[in-house]
Amino acid sequence: VQLQASGGGLVQAGGSLRLSCVASGRTFSSYVMGWFRQPPGKEREFVGGITRSGGGTDYADSVKGRFTISRDNAKNTVYLQMNSLKPEDTAVYYCAASFGVLLGRQLVPRDFGSWGQGTLVTVSS
């Protein structure tokens, strides 16, 4: 599956952004989808994930209560709604797809086999 992320930009602290990730192909609903981010000078980290049906989600503690992942399988799209943004949320955000990963633990990049190109989110203080 090929992934294309978009929606990044510059926002003030406390603001909101919604990222989108569109997948190619007809098997999007077969994939568990995840969002990761890579802050400047740091390693890529798990943000959250969503099950194939969209009925289950999991988030990193740092974004719980502020970020929401959803998907529309008819549109081959997964979303990341980010509210109450903080300067420490500044990062390149990536969407990723996995055929078999299970949510419920701290996932790492190697759990996902397909990646989008990343979209930059900058939160100013």
Side-chain angles (χ1 to χ4, degrees):
V1 63
Q2 292 186 323
L3 305 173
Q4 180 78 29
S6 62
L10 174 64
V11 63
Q12 289 188 331
S16 298
L17 275 178
R18 188 177 80 156
L19 306 183
S20 300
C21 175
V22 180
S24 64
R26 296 179 291 177
T27 60
F28 176 70
S29 60
S30 299
Y31 291 91
V32 175
M33 298 299 296
W35 285 95
F36 285 75
R37 66 185 181 186
Q38 188 162 13
K42 296 185 179 180
E43 294 186 351
R44 197 169 299 189
E45 62 185 19
F46 176 70
V47 172
I50 188 166
T51 58
R52 295 173 182 83
S53 67
T57 54
D58 190 36
Y59 300 93
D61 288 343
S62 58
V63 306
K64 276 181 182 176
R66 300 188 299 122
F67 290 12
T68 302
I69 297 175
S70 61
R71 68 190 295 165
D72 185 340
N73 286 342
K75 295 183 178 180
N76 281 11
T77 303
V78 61
Y79 305 97
L80 179 64
Q81 177 67 45
M82 305 184 292
N83 298 330
S84 302
L85 282 161
K86 305 174 182 180
E88 51 264 42
D89 294 318
T90 294
V92 177
Y93 283 73
Y94 298 88
C95 58
S98 173
F99 202 67
V101 74
L102 296 177
L103 301 182
R105 61 176 177 85
Q106 188 71 16
L107 299 178
V108 294
R110 66 175 179 269
D111 290 319
F112 290 79
S114 299
W115 290 84
Q117 85 289 2
T119 185
L120 176 63
V121 172
T122 304
V123 184
S124 63
S125 56

